[in-house]
Amino acid sequence: MSYWQDRQGMRYYHQVLAFARQYAPAGGSVVDVGGRDCEYIQWFDWFGRKVVIDLKPPPARLGVETLAGDFMSWQPEARFDLALCLQVLEHLPEPGLFCRKLLDTGRIVIVSVPYRWPQGLCKYHVQDPVDRAKLQGWAGRPPRDTAVVRDGNRDRLVAVFLP
């Protein structure tokens, strides 16, 4: 079974989709930062332009522009209506810089992070535990909306940032 097949039913993805419908109902353009192995970008069918950028080349998807590269070096030609970044920030040594670039890249930004996972639970997470205060510090401002979503025995924080 693939990474996406294992994860596609997770509730936090559906919360991201619900927030996107609520806060970006007009669609336009959406970029997913770090979503290489996931296919939820296809769910955003009311958006005319869909882009996925990841360090490793994302697989080709019908109707989706895929870019391989470093998000921090990438200079998009215009601001996106919506930027997504799901389960990425906790892996980064400098999540504040990354988060602020996300806020410059999208008019509306939706992020998810593991919520209060104990340090050491996942060896790839260098920022655990993450809570609302830590995420707000990275963004330099409070989110407009949040939800804590439980999948299995773990929680994830989904947050919406507006201009």
Side-chain angles (χ1 to χ4, degrees):
M1 193 172 272
S2 76
Y3 179 83
W4 175 241
Q5 288 173 324
D6 284 347
R7 298 177 62 88
Q8 66 186 336
M10 295 182 112
R11 295 178 63 235
Y12 82 94
Y13 291 127
H14 297 279
Q15 181 62 60
V16 168
L17 185 63
F19 276 156
R21 289 194 188 282
Q22 179 180 352
Y23 289 101
S29 59
V30 58
V31 61
D32 181 25
V33 179
R36 177 177 55 95
D37 290 324
C38 296
E39 307 225 0
Y40 53 78
I41 193 73
Q42 302 288 9
W43 299 349
F44 293 77
D45 57 0
W46 72 101
F47 283 82
R49 182 176 182 217
K50 296 183 275 296
V51 176
V52 175
I53 182 169
D54 198 284
L55 284 171
K56 296 179 184 175
R61 296 181 179 106
L62 185 63
V64 178
E65 298 169 47
T66 55
L67 305 171
D70 182 354
F71 174 69
M72 293 302 290
S73 302
W74 180 52
Q75 297 299 320
E77 67 281 358
R79 197 169 194 202
F80 285 82
D81 295 298
L82 176 63
L84 306 171
C85 187
L86 311 183
Q87 303 301 121
V88 171
L89 296 173
E90 66 276 7
H91 296 271
L92 305 174
E94 304 238 5
L97 294 172
F98 199 92
C99 194
R100 285 188 288 283
K101 177 151 185 188
L102 283 168
L103 294 169
D104 289 339
T105 301
R107 191 175 55 78
I108 299 162
V109 175
I110 301 175
V111 300
S112 73
V113 291
Y115 183 62
R116 296 174 147 177
W117 289 22
Q119 184 176 13
L121 180 69
C122 178
K123 67 181 179 180
Y124 304 109
H125 293 185
V126 297
Q127 297 298 331
D128 286 342
V130 181
D131 59 13
R132 285 179 173 94
K134 189 180 256 189
L135 180 59
Q136 181 173 325
W138 294 340
R141 64 181 184 212
R144 169 68 181 271
D145 206 345
T146 62
V148 174
V149 180
R150 179 155 282 241
D151 279 306
N153 61 353
R154 296 281 174 243
D155 292 333
R156 288 176 175 80
L157 175 63
V158 180
V160 179
F161 293 90
L162 300 178

